Amino acid sequence: MKTRVGIIGATGYTGVELLRLLFHHPEVEVTALTSQKYAGVEIGRVFPTLMNHLELKCEELSVERISQKVDFVLTAVPHKTAMETVPLFYRRGKKVVDLSADFRLKDPVVYERWYQKHTAADLLPESVYGLPEFHREKIRSAKIVGNPGCYPTGALIGLIPLVKKELISLEAIIVDAKSGVSGAGRDVVLESLFCEVNEGVKAYKIFAHRHTPEIEQELSQIVQREIKVTFVPHLIPMDRGILTTLYVRLIKKLKTEDLLNAFQDYFRGEPFIRIYPKGKLPNTKDVRGSNFCDIGAVVSEPDDRAVVVTAIDNLVKGASGEAVQNMNIMLGCPETMGLEVVPLFP
Amino acid sequence: MKTRVGIIGATGYTGVELLRLLFHHPEVEVTALTSQKYAGVEIGRVFPTLMNHLELKCEELSVERISQKVDFVLTAVPHKTAMETVPLFYRRGKKVVDLSADFRLKDPVVYERWYQKHTAADLLPESVYGLPEFHREKIRSAKIVGNPGCYPTGALIGLIPLVKKELISLEAIIVDAKSGVSGAGRDVVLESLFCEVNEGVKAYKIFAHRHTPEIEQELSQIVQREIKVTFVPHLIPMDRGILTTLYVRLIKKLKTEDLLNAFQDYFRGEPFIRIYPKGKLPNTKDVRGSNFCDIGAVVSEPDDRAVVVTAIDNLVKGASGEAVQNMNIMLGCPETMGLEVVPLFP
Amino acid sequence: MKTRVGIIGATGYTGVELLRLLFHHPEVEVTALTSQKYAGVEIGRVFPTLMNHLELKCEELSVERISQKVDFVLTAVPHKTAMETVPLFYRRGKKVVDLSADFRLKDPVVYERWYQKHTAADLLPESVYGLPEFHREKIRSAKIVGNPGCYPTGALIGLIPLVKKELISLEAIIVDAKSGVSGAGRDVVLESLFCEVNEGVKAYKIFAHRHTPEIEQELSQIVQREIKVTFVPHLIPMDRGILTTLYVRLIKKLKTEDLLNAFQDYFRGEPFIRIYPKGKLPNTKDVRGSNFCDIGAVVSEPDDRAVVVTAIDNLVKGASGEAVQNMNIMLGCPETMGLEVVPLFP
Amino acid sequence: MKTRVGIIGATGYTGVELLRLLFHHPEVEVTALTSQKYAGVEIGRVFPTLMNHLELKCEELSVERISQKVDFVLTAVPHKTAMETVPLFYRRGKKVVDLSADFRLKDPVVYERWYQKHTAADLLPESVYGLPEFHREKIRSAKIVGNPGCYPTGALIGLIPLVKKELISLEAIIVDAKSGVSGAGRDVVLESLFCEVNEGVKAYKIFAHRHTPEIEQELSQIVQREIKVTFVPHLIPMDRGILTTLYVRLIKKLKTEDLLNAFQDYFRGEPFIRIYPKGKLPNTKDVRGSNFCDIGAVVSEPDDRAVVVTAIDNLVKGASGEAVQNMNIMLGCPETMGLEVVPLFP
């Protein structure tokens, strides 16, 4: 029998992407959708892409009612709403993957410095940071998974192997990320209008983006001391994709091939990580619609500088695809189930 | 046992799209790829999207060699090359879906007026025009299917029901089509450069586009007399999609609902046709990556004018998806096999 | 001494475009800007493009106060607001070019059918429809000019010469227009978000767009009987530009060259109209940022069909540039003043 | 009398941009255009934007003939061609601004390491690096100006003040640049096709881009020792613009305001440099079509990291606009002549 899944907050971009991916998933069935704005409306009217695929109406969030219809919960609501909602499902015995920021940071002090008061801090020890390539075993038995932010996903996949293998200096890590506009969500704000975004590029929230502590938490945990990174996000005129350019200093003598081999070695067997050969660099266009994270790297041998580039689709590996991957692990399904799609090119 | 499929001309945009779709197809296996330009190169090097999906090298076209490796052939080469290639596979007993223009027009005189001398005119009676919604039964037993052009697909799906049901005047049909840039193929020409196309719209080949006779052939065949259409294609700064706006004169008194019902009636049971309710109109964005053709319509009751709008992904329903649909019919597979993908939004 | 100009509603896309164009104008000076949303804010903070060009604060609209500071008024506010504002300036003796719809339609009944109650209908006889290529003499002495809509500008420049010269049937005129997103203005609505618009094309408001009566009014006036047109607007993923494809039936035997000559003849001496030679068709990209309307045409000789294509920048010739052109005429300045800019390519 | 200017290589993107800017220039007249590909063709046929503006035919390059028609030469040809052409005009006493790389690097050894053999190395001591904000006085009397590369312009304007004022460490400068596609020129190559570029972002030529030595030369010259920078360019799906994100380590205690004041101080009186106030960051969209370089900066006070962001239009301040600025200085014209345009937004 299929696992019945509920999506809380189904009408944002991560919501519709969950629906797209789960449609292809043979072992789950979406049985409840919530939306404040579209309660009572057929999901196929909200997103014509889903016409003929899913006949289900959005409903208002009633944890009581929805708990009867679902075995597993994916929450795609804004932070703050998440911390109010997730505990209610948790207490009814539902496993949850939360796509907001509320269950990613382990230290409530850090959370409260970057966000606001945490009203479910008691559940933070329960929750697991949902980057399967690093926490697969813990995810397997988790009740709550805090699905990583899109930027941290692209940064951490490129950095963790280097930190774990002690290949780079921890003092001067720079993360320059370029994101498509869907990363800003479906909120109706001036900054996301077509004519404000198209044909322009900008940096934003320099030293101040809320994904910074997430990156720092995961790196710091490896070495058991505080690591700081310089993280600057940029907005790019495209729908989907994050390209992350990582600037690091090597503390071992390595050639480009050696660095690529280190990635190959670290990610051996990972179904969604693709390491590029020397001389090739990833492009977000080549992962669009898929759960891949592509990695390329170049070393400047004379002075031990290295640049690592990762490419993900922010709505898939950076959000909904990773959430499905986590759900698969938690449910004991094959990890790639529902996610075996070839990227869409062009 | 899986059907072994060969793709002749695998490194254009329709080629890589065939590969994307066939990867999801449980009953076929791609066993040969040809490419003049990339012979000897791993397909995953040509299209990084296919890394980890398909390990196959492009090879030069040898009908002899390839015939031993494949049961079924999809030709995605330019016209002229197609008419030289298809007969060779045909004579070796291979069924072929040809994505070029060479086997679409039944009358070699018409073909030669719009293209050039036809060197395989003897096979035209064998070939079937591959629009499954209209020629399904003939396709089932065809040896050669001429896969429709992208523009004719969008136009004919909106027009044929109206002509068959005798709802419109045949004297003043206007087809105004707007296509994404991938419709021009992957040829390296000035007109397809990003900076020439982006942030602009233009009409081209007014009264002179080679897809005109295809549209006229299919409409004329229904009424057994010559129908002329006014067809103007436009180039739009996006990767994929054709929106076709059809201007027709009703010869029966109809309301918008009646017209939509006529489409509903005609296309009942068609898996890839979606009729929009009154008040909603299709957007190419909502079919992207899928084999759907979405249809909307509005009637101006006082004066019997009507506008019908269809939306397709030119690389899927307008090319490679339709080719897979035809292949499924020819192979006796379920028609939707490999094509049950939710459109990618946003 | 320079003419002092006030811009009412300066912080939309037509507002900032007026400011860009007037910066280059040697005979006027912008001395007042109003904005509800940004009252009290430096215009260079609202639009960084204007930093170092204009040091002026937005203010709330006080007709009293602004009338003391300006000799001429450009109103770039929504319809309804315009009909409440324009009369106040008019009564203080200020000439006005109104960029809204409120002073375009001569017949208040028609206005009220498409918009809402008209509260300044008494001024409609005073106002002139501001298409200089057709109403230049009346504009010269007008007190109020109703600046044409963007779609009517593109349609009428291609149609009026043909109607005036009695070259086409008036029964079956079709106007298929493709507009960039800035035509929707700077309102913060879901439909204008980048991810909703990018990589898609759609038709909207078929038979129901408010620019329809404007086109019909101007054509009908020429022949002194009611002309109906079929008008379908489309939204294209680009910032600026409208391409208008006009489908007409010739009632005289003409070749393509004859039709182009008719345009050449009609528009002789017009500084902003460019007729393309046979075989070339306009692209909105080639008029971007300029006040040009480019025109191309093709005739299908055997059956007397013709297609005319016009290209404008919707924010310039379709709005703010035309407004400046009208202002120049009303002020007795050379008509091209401030508008002699080469389009931006690429 | 106007200065007669010749443009050698007029049909690339920098060529047409020179023509756009010079059209607005009151003291020069373009009297000769060369183009290999379009010799004999009216420039208005090559670029419809120029129809009605300039009636001049492209001609093949004859230094002899062109020298008789022009007083000043702008060369917009590829490197290598430039070093063969510039000396010929120089010997005929013509002043030249060369937009290629051939006269930027002072050390022929460095040039030959990154490009190829330099056949006019004897003229390198004559040539001046054309960044007016740093070399204005030398440019004034130069015979040959090597117009800076687009990336070096964006990087150097953000770095030189910090190096000159000794505010940053010279050991770890990182330049992460994001460029629109026009930076790749108008060459017809697969990588520049719309469908290859649109909806994707990639890094390229990491540690290997030819603009690296230019940046290093100018910084090194200030401190009279070799400075290395890490420079990674990225390709962004837009026509124009370069955003440069500079990562530096402060060696003095500074707040964000202090850093911005340092820029204000350094660039006081510069007509094309705009410093953003604290809390605002530049966007390439806000400089499009203009010669501005906008600068923003943020300091992380606790650890003395700083990020500086500059935005230019790569075809204006990064190429043709800077060339006109240099020409103005060399001719004794006001430096802003022909360049006083408001950026185009949206």
Side-chain angles (χ1 to χ4, degrees):
Chain A
M1 227 184 63
K2 290 189 180 186
T3 300
R4 301 169 306 157
V5 171
I7 298 176
I8 310 306
T11 57
Y13 292 139
T14 52
V16 64
E17 187 69 354
L18 285 169
L19 288 166
R20 180 178 77 92
L21 295 168
L22 292 179
F23 174 78
H24 298 293
H25 196 294
E27 307 250 322
V28 309
E29 185 183 6
V30 177
T31 53
L33 301 175
T34 80
S35 167
Q36 265 191 302
K37 196 169 163 195
Y38 297 99
V41 182
E42 277 279 347
I43 191 69
R45 285 302 292 249
V46 184
F47 295 113
T49 52
L50 296 168
M51 276 173 65
N52 286 27
H53 284 117
L54 184 65
E55 299 200 359
L56 204 58
K57 275 191 180 153
C58 299
E59 55 186 296
E60 280 187 55
L61 173 56
S62 152
V63 174
E64 181 81 39
R65 193 177 61 241
I66 286 169
S67 292
Q68 290 162 13
K69 294 197 269 189
V70 310
D71 309 309
F72 195 100
V73 175
L74 294 158
T75 45
V77 291
H79 62 86
K80 193 153 190 298
T81 308
M83 71 169 95
E84 293 158 3
T85 310
V86 169
L88 305 176
F89 285 109
Y90 172 80
R91 280 187 211 118
R92 275 168 177 82
K94 308 297 177 191
K95 290 186 179 183
V96 183
V97 174
D98 175 42
L99 284 83
S100 88
D102 286 353
F103 295 90
R104 294 174 191 160
L105 296 173
K106 311 310 288 178
D107 183 345
V109 176
V110 174
Y111 180 89
E112 296 186 356
R113 193 185 312 138
W114 289 87
Y115 294 88
Q116 72 276 300
K117 175 127 195 65
H118 203 305
T119 59
D122 56 311
L123 285 181
L124 292 180
E126 285 292 319
S127 81
V128 176
Y129 190 75
L131 203 50
E133 287 77 9
F134 302 114
H135 299 297
R136 186 170 282 116
E137 287 318 306
K138 285 188 185 161
I139 294 165
R140 214 178 291 283
S141 55
K143 300 281 175 32
I144 300 172
V145 161
N147 208 57
C150 50
Y151 287 123
T153 298
L156 289 169
I157 290 176
L159 287 172
I160 291 183
L162 307 183
V163 173
K164 286 214 174 168
K165 286 173 174 277
E166 298 180 12
L167 299 178
I168 59 169
S169 161
L170 306 177
E171 304 314 315
I173 296 170
I174 287 171
V175 179
D176 185 294
K178 296 91 178 163
S179 174
V181 185
S182 63
R186 214 184 182 204
D187 292 342
V188 181
V189 295
L190 180 68
E191 290 71 24
S192 296
L193 292 186
F194 184 87
C195 291
E196 305 288 318
V197 172
N198 188 41
E199 292 294 294
V201 185
K202 67 173 180 184
Y204 67 102
K205 291 193 187 156
I206 295 178
F207 297 124
H209 194 283
R210 285 163 161 179
H211 284 176
T212 312
E214 236 179 285
I215 302 171
E216 293 177 344
Q217 163 183 292
E218 293 298 304
L219 296 183
S220 300
Q221 197 192 314
I222 299 168
V223 292
Q224 293 295 313
R225 66 179 182 84
E226 203 186 357
I227 297 184
K228 289 274 177 203
V229 301
T230 298
F231 168 50
V232 178
H234 299 76
L235 197 67
I236 304 296
M238 59 183 193
D239 283 345
R240 290 166 174 248
I242 293 180
L243 193 85
T244 308
T245 312
L246 301 162
Y247 297 88
V248 294
R249 289 264 159 194
L250 300 175
I251 53 177
K252 293 212 175 115
K253 272 286 161 204
L254 296 175
K255 293 180 199 298
T256 296
E257 294 87 335
D258 302 329
L259 191 60
L260 291 167
N261 285 340
F263 281 110
Q264 285 285 11
D265 177 62
Y266 193 89
F267 288 120
R268 200 170 309 283
E270 285 295 342
F272 297 119
I273 307 292
R274 305 193 296 191
I275 317 296
Y276 277 49
K278 188 184 172 187
K280 276 229 155 199
L281 292 168
N283 184 328
T284 59
K285 187 152 197 163
D286 291 322
V287 298
R288 194 166 41 157
S290 82
N291 203 45
F292 287 117
C293 178
D294 286 5
I295 304 176
V298 187
V299 172
S300 169
E301 291 183 37
D303 50 11
D304 303 317
R305 293 173 292 159
V307 175
V308 175
V309 181
T310 69
I312 60 170
D313 181 327
N314 59 301
L315 290 180
V316 192
K317 186 61 178 167
S320 304
E322 191 142 82
V324 171
Q325 192 179 354
N326 282 316
M327 184 196 73
N328 283 339
I329 297 170
M330 293 161 84
L331 292 175
C333 295
E335 199 167 321
T336 58
M337 201 167 255
L339 298 170
E340 286 162 312
V341 293
V342 180
L344 191 74
F345 175 88
Chain B
M1 227 183 63
K2 291 190 179 184
T3 301
R4 299 169 308 157
V5 170
I7 298 176
I8 310 305
T11 57
Y13 292 140
T14 53
V16 65
E17 188 69 355
L18 285 168
L19 287 167
R20 180 178 77 92
L21 296 167
L22 292 179
F23 174 78
H24 298 293
H25 197 294
E27 308 250 322
V28 309
E29 184 183 5
V30 177
T31 52
L33 303 175
T34 80
S35 167
Q36 264 191 302
K37 196 170 162 194
Y38 296 99
V41 182
E42 276 280 347
I43 192 68
R45 286 300 292 247
V46 182
F47 296 113
T49 53
L50 297 168
M51 276 173 64
N52 288 26
H53 285 116
L54 184 65
E55 298 200 0
L56 204 58
K57 276 191 179 153
C58 299
E59 54 187 296
E60 279 186 56
L61 173 55
S62 152
V63 174
E64 180 82 39
R65 194 177 60 239
I66 286 170
S67 291
Q68 289 161 13
K69 295 197 267 189
V70 309
D71 309 309
F72 194 100
V73 175
L74 294 157
T75 45
V77 291
H79 62 86
K80 194 154 191 299
T81 307
M83 70 169 96
E84 293 159 3
T85 309
V86 170
L88 305 177
F89 285 109
Y90 172 80
R91 281 188 211 118
R92 275 168 177 82
K94 309 297 177 190
K95 291 188 177 180
V96 183
V97 175
D98 175 41
L99 284 83
S100 88
D102 286 352
F103 295 90
R104 297 174 190 160
L105 297 174
K106 312 310 290 178
D107 184 344
V109 174
V110 174
Y111 180 90
E112 296 186 356
R113 193 186 312 136
W114 288 87
Y115 294 87
Q116 71 276 302
K117 177 126 194 65
H118 203 305
T119 59
D122 56 311
L123 286 181
L124 291 180
E126 284 293 319
S127 80
V128 176
Y129 189 76
L131 204 51
E133 287 77 9
F134 303 114
H135 299 298
R136 184 171 284 116
E137 287 318 306
K138 285 189 186 161
I139 294 166
R140 216 179 290 284
S141 55
K143 299 279 176 32
I144 299 172
V145 162
N147 207 59
C150 50
Y151 287 122
T153 297
L156 290 169
I157 290 177
L159 287 172
I160 291 183
L162 307 183
V163 173
K164 285 214 173 169
K165 286 172 174 278
E166 298 180 12
L167 299 178
I168 59 169
S169 161
L170 306 176
E171 304 314 315
I173 296 170
I174 286 171
V175 179
D176 185 293
K178 295 93 178 159
S179 174
V181 185
S182 62
R186 213 185 182 203
D187 292 342
V188 181
V189 295
L190 181 68
E191 291 70 24
S192 296
L193 293 187
F194 184 87
C195 291
E196 305 289 317
V197 172
N198 188 41
E199 291 294 294
V201 185
K202 66 173 181 184
Y204 66 102
K205 290 191 186 158
I206 296 178
F207 297 123
H209 194 283
R210 286 164 161 177
H211 285 177
T212 311
E214 235 179 285
I215 303 171
E216 293 178 344
Q217 163 183 290
E218 293 298 305
L219 297 182
S220 300
Q221 197 193 312
I222 299 167
V223 291
Q224 293 295 313
R225 65 178 182 84
E226 203 187 357
I227 297 183
K228 288 273 179 205
V229 301
T230 298
F231 167 51
V232 178
H234 300 77
L235 196 67
I236 303 297
M238 59 183 192
D239 283 344
R240 290 167 175 250
I242 292 178
L243 194 85
T244 308
T245 311
L246 300 162
Y247 298 89
V248 295
R249 290 262 159 196
L250 300 175
I251 53 178
K252 293 211 174 116
K253 272 283 161 208
L254 296 174
K255 293 182 198 299
T256 296
E257 294 86 335
D258 302 329
L259 191 60
L260 291 167
N261 285 339
F263 280 110
Q264 284 285 10
D265 178 61
Y266 192 89
F267 287 120
R268 201 170 309 283
E270 285 295 343
F272 296 118
I273 308 291
R274 305 192 297 190
I275 317 294
Y276 277 50
K278 188 185 171 186
K280 276 228 155 199
L281 292 168
N283 185 327
T284 58
K285 186 150 196 163
D286 291 323
V287 298
R288 192 165 43 157
S290 82
N291 203 45
F292 287 116
C293 178
D294 286 6
I295 305 177
V298 187
V299 173
S300 170
E301 290 182 38
D303 50 10
D304 304 318
R305 293 173 292 159
V307 175
V308 176
V309 181
T310 68
I312 60 169
D313 182 326
N314 60 301
L315 290 181
V316 192
K317 187 61 178 167
S320 304
E322 192 143 81
V324 171
Q325 192 180 354
N326 282 317
M327 183 196 72
N328 283 338
I329 297 171
M330 294 161 84
L331 292 176
C333 295
E335 199 168 321
T336 58
M337 202 167 254
L339 298 170
E340 287 163 310
V341 292
V342 180
L344 192 74
F345 175 88
Chain C
M1 227 181 67
K2 290 189 179 185
T3 301
R4 299 168 309 158
V5 171
I7 298 176
I8 311 305
T11 58
Y13 293 140
T14 53
V16 64
E17 187 69 354
L18 285 169
L19 288 167
R20 181 178 76 92
L21 295 167
L22 292 179
F23 174 78
H24 298 294
H25 196 294
E27 307 249 323
V28 309
E29 184 183 8
V30 177
T31 52
L33 303 175
T34 80
S35 167
Q36 267 191 301
K37 195 170 163 194
Y38 296 100
V41 182
E42 277 279 348
I43 191 69
R45 285 301 291 249
V46 183
F47 296 113
T49 52
L50 296 168
M51 276 173 65
N52 286 26
H53 285 116
L54 185 65
E55 299 200 0
L56 204 58
K57 276 190 178 154
C58 299
E59 55 186 296
E60 280 186 55
L61 173 55
S62 153
V63 174
E64 181 80 37
R65 194 178 59 240
I66 285 169
S67 291
Q68 289 161 14
K69 293 197 267 188
V70 309
D71 309 309
F72 195 100
V73 175
L74 294 158
T75 46
V77 292
H79 62 87
K80 194 154 190 299
T81 307
M83 72 169 95
E84 294 159 3
T85 309
V86 169
L88 305 177
F89 284 108
Y90 172 80
R91 280 187 212 119
R92 275 169 178 81
K94 308 297 177 189
K95 291 188 176 179
V96 183
V97 175
D98 175 40
L99 283 83
S100 90
D102 286 353
F103 295 90
R104 296 174 190 160
L105 297 173
K106 312 310 291 178
D107 184 344
V109 175
V110 174
Y111 180 90
E112 295 186 357
R113 194 185 312 138
W114 289 86
Y115 295 87
Q116 72 276 302
K117 176 128 194 63
H118 202 306
T119 59
D122 56 311
L123 285 182
L124 291 180
E126 284 292 319
S127 80
V128 176
Y129 189 76
L131 204 49
E133 287 76 10
F134 302 114
H135 299 298
R136 184 169 283 117
E137 286 319 306
K138 284 188 186 163
I139 293 165
R140 214 178 290 284
S141 55
K143 298 282 175 32
I144 300 172
V145 161
N147 207 60
C150 50
Y151 288 122
T153 297
L156 290 169
I157 290 177
L159 287 172
I160 292 184
L162 307 183
V163 173
K164 285 214 174 169
K165 286 173 174 278
E166 299 180 11
L167 299 178
I168 59 170
S169 162
L170 306 177
E171 304 315 314
I173 295 170
I174 286 171
V175 179
D176 185 295
K178 296 94 177 158
S179 175
V181 185
S182 63
R186 214 186 182 202
D187 293 342
V188 180
V189 295
L190 181 68
E191 289 72 23
S192 297
L193 292 187
F194 184 87
C195 290
E196 304 289 316
V197 172
N198 188 42
E199 291 294 294
V201 185
K202 66 173 181 184
Y204 66 102
K205 291 192 187 156
I206 295 178
F207 297 125
H209 194 283
R210 287 165 161 177
H211 285 177
T212 312
E214 235 179 285
I215 303 171
E216 293 177 343
Q217 163 184 290
E218 293 298 304
L219 297 183
S220 300
Q221 198 193 313
I222 299 168
V223 291
Q224 293 295 313
R225 67 180 182 83
E226 204 186 358
I227 298 183
K228 288 274 179 205
V229 301
T230 298
F231 167 52
V232 178
H234 299 77
L235 196 67
I236 304 296
M238 60 183 192
D239 283 343
R240 291 167 174 248
I242 292 179
L243 193 85
T244 308
T245 312
L246 301 162
Y247 297 89
V248 295
R249 288 263 160 196
L250 299 175
I251 53 177
K252 295 216 174 109
K253 272 284 162 208
L254 295 175
K255 294 181 197 301
T256 296
E257 294 87 333
D258 301 329
L259 191 60
L260 290 167
N261 284 340
F263 280 110
Q264 285 285 11
D265 177 61
Y266 192 88
F267 286 120
R268 200 170 309 284
E270 285 296 343
F272 297 118
I273 308 292
R274 305 192 296 190
I275 317 296
Y276 276 49
K278 188 183 171 187
K280 277 230 153 197
L281 292 168
N283 185 328
T284 59
K285 187 151 195 163
D286 291 323
V287 298
R288 192 164 42 155
S290 82
N291 202 45
F292 287 115
C293 178
D294 287 4
I295 305 176
V298 187
V299 173
S300 169
E301 290 183 37
D303 49 11
D304 303 318
R305 293 172 293 159
V307 174
V308 175
V309 182
T310 68
I312 59 170
D313 182 325
N314 60 300
L315 290 181
V316 191
K317 187 62 179 166
S320 304
E322 191 143 81
V324 171
Q325 191 181 355
N326 282 316
M327 184 195 72
N328 283 339
I329 298 171
M330 294 161 84
L331 292 176
C333 295
E335 200 168 321
T336 57
M337 201 168 256
L339 298 170
E340 287 163 311
V341 292
V342 180
L344 192 73
F345 176 89
Chain D
M1 227 181 65
K2 290 189 180 185
T3 301
R4 301 169 306 159
V5 170
I7 298 176
I8 310 307
T11 58
Y13 291 140
T14 52
V16 65
E17 187 69 355
L18 285 169
L19 288 167
R20 181 178 76 92
L21 295 167
L22 293 179
F23 174 78
H24 297 293
H25 196 296
E27 309 250 322
V28 308
E29 186 183 6
V30 177
T31 52
L33 302 175
T34 80
S35 166
Q36 266 191 302
K37 195 169 164 195
Y38 296 100
V41 183
E42 277 280 347
I43 190 69
R45 286 302 292 249
V46 183
F47 296 113
T49 52
L50 297 168
M51 276 172 65
N52 286 27
H53 284 117
L54 184 64
E55 299 199 0
L56 203 59
K57 276 190 180 155
C58 299
E59 55 186 297
E60 281 187 54
L61 173 56
S62 152
V63 175
E64 179 81 38
R65 192 176 63 239
I66 285 170
S67 291
Q68 289 162 15
K69 294 198 267 189
V70 309
D71 309 309
F72 195 100
V73 175
L74 293 158
T75 46
V77 291
H79 62 86
K80 194 154 192 299
T81 308
M83 71 170 95
E84 293 159 2
T85 310
V86 170
L88 304 177
F89 284 109
Y90 172 80
R91 280 187 212 119
R92 274 168 176 82
K94 308 297 176 190
K95 290 187 179 182
V96 183
V97 174
D98 175 42
L99 283 84
S100 88
D102 286 353
F103 294 91
R104 295 175 190 160
L105 297 173
K106 310 312 288 179
D107 183 345
V109 175
V110 174
Y111 181 89
E112 296 187 356
R113 193 185 312 137
W114 290 86
Y115 294 87
Q116 72 276 300
K117 175 126 197 66
H118 203 305
T119 59
D122 56 312
L123 285 181
L124 291 180
E126 284 293 317
S127 81
V128 175
Y129 190 75
L131 203 51
E133 288 77 9
F134 302 114
H135 299 298
R136 186 169 283 117
E137 287 318 307
K138 284 187 185 164
I139 294 165
R140 214 178 292 284
S141 54
K143 301 280 173 35
I144 300 172
V145 161
N147 207 57
C150 50
Y151 287 123
T153 297
L156 290 170
I157 290 177
L159 287 172
I160 291 183
L162 307 183
V163 173
K164 285 215 175 169
K165 287 173 174 277
E166 299 179 11
L167 300 178
I168 59 169
S169 161
L170 306 177
E171 304 316 314
I173 296 170
I174 287 171
V175 179
D176 186 293
K178 296 92 178 162
S179 174
V181 185
S182 63
R186 214 186 181 202
D187 292 342
V188 181
V189 295
L190 180 69
E191 290 71 23
S192 296
L193 291 187
F194 184 87
C195 291
E196 304 289 317
V197 172
N198 188 42
E199 291 294 293
V201 185
K202 67 173 180 184
Y204 65 103
K205 291 193 188 157
I206 295 179
F207 297 124
H209 194 284
R210 286 164 162 178
H211 284 177
T212 311
E214 236 179 284
I215 302 172
E216 293 176 344
Q217 163 183 291
E218 292 299 303
L219 297 182
S220 299
Q221 197 192 315
I222 299 169
V223 293
Q224 293 296 314
R225 66 180 182 84
E226 204 187 356
I227 297 183
K228 289 273 178 203
V229 301
T230 298
F231 167 52
V232 178
H234 299 77
L235 196 68
I236 304 296
M238 59 182 193
D239 283 344
R240 289 167 175 247
I242 293 179
L243 193 84
T244 308
T245 311
L246 301 162
Y247 297 89
V248 295
R249 289 263 159 194
L250 299 176
I251 53 176
K252 295 216 171 111
K253 271 284 161 208
L254 295 175
K255 293 180 199 300
T256 296
E257 295 87 335
D258 302 329
L259 191 59
L260 291 167
N261 284 340
F263 280 111
Q264 284 286 11
D265 178 62
Y266 192 88
F267 287 120
R268 200 169 309 284
E270 285 296 342
F272 296 118
I273 307 293
R274 305 192 297 191
I275 317 297
Y276 277 50
K278 189 184 172 187
K280 277 230 154 198
L281 291 168
N283 184 328
T284 59
K285 188 152 196 163
D286 292 322
V287 299
R288 194 166 40 158
S290 81
N291 203 46
F292 286 117
C293 178
D294 287 4
I295 305 175
V298 187
V299 172
S300 170
E301 290 183 37
D303 50 11
D304 303 318
R305 292 174 293 159
V307 174
V308 175
V309 181
T310 69
I312 60 170
D313 182 325
N314 60 299
L315 290 181
V316 192
K317 187 61 179 167
S320 303
E322 191 143 80
V324 172
Q325 191 179 354
N326 283 317
M327 183 196 73
N328 283 339
I329 297 171
M330 293 161 85
L331 291 175
C333 295
E335 198 167 322
T336 58
M337 202 167 254
L339 297 171
E340 287 163 312
V341 292
V342 180
L344 191 76
F345 175 88

